[in-house]
Amino acid sequence: QVQLVESGGGLVQPGGSLRLSCAASGSIFSIDVMGWYRQAPGKERELVATITGGGNANYADSVKGRFTISRDNAKNTVYLAMNSLNPEDTAVYYCNTYVLVTGGSSYVPYWGQGTQVTVSS
């Protein structure tokens, strides 16, 4: 019913920048919180940042001041601008959104397929 398509990952040198995008499509009536999570090899998936429909953002301490989350409600798209990247940011990044589908009665979480971010010289 709902598809999330991520883009923007890749290989970047330490200190570099990347911008991730995640577009939601399908039978969408409304979207609540949108966010990004990441999972490094051998580690659990962790929260990176979330943003409400009103634009209130929340960040993990490890990315505060370096990453910026934003969203375009008209396009059902969430972005993650990542600056000053370091090797510890290497992970698969997943988009997460809470969607009320057309005809539905509650918001349900959906996940993207993940996009690899590798920070290495």
Side-chain angles (χ1 to χ4, degrees):
Q1 289 180 306
V2 175
Q3 298 79 40
L4 301 182
V5 178
E6 302 165 355
S7 61
L11 173 64
V12 64
Q13 293 186 341
S17 300
L18 283 175
R19 186 184 190 224
L20 306 182
S21 300
C22 173
S25 62
S27 302
I28 298 171
F29 182 79
S30 177
I31 296 179
D32 192 6
V33 176
M34 306 182 82
W36 291 93
Y37 291 71
R38 67 186 181 185
Q39 187 167 18
K43 295 186 177 180
E44 294 185 353
R45 189 172 299 188
E46 63 176 3
L47 169 72
V48 176
T50 60
I51 185 168
T52 66
N56 292 316
N58 177 58
Y59 297 94
D61 288 343
S62 59
V63 307
K64 282 181 180 177
R66 300 188 298 122
F67 291 10
T68 302
I69 189 170
S70 61
R71 62 191 283 173
D72 185 331
N73 292 329
K75 296 181 179 180
N76 292 333
T77 299
V78 62
Y79 306 96
L80 185 69
M82 304 183 293
N83 297 312
S84 302
L85 285 161
N86 58 62
E88 289 70 39
D89 296 315
T90 295
V92 178
Y93 284 70
Y94 296 91
C95 170
N96 170 262
T97 66
Y98 280 78
V99 179
L100 177 63
V101 299
T102 304
S105 59
S106 62
Y107 286 88
V108 175
Y110 289 86
W111 291 91
Q113 80 283 0
T115 184
Q116 178 70 44
V117 172
T118 302
V119 185
S120 176
S121 55

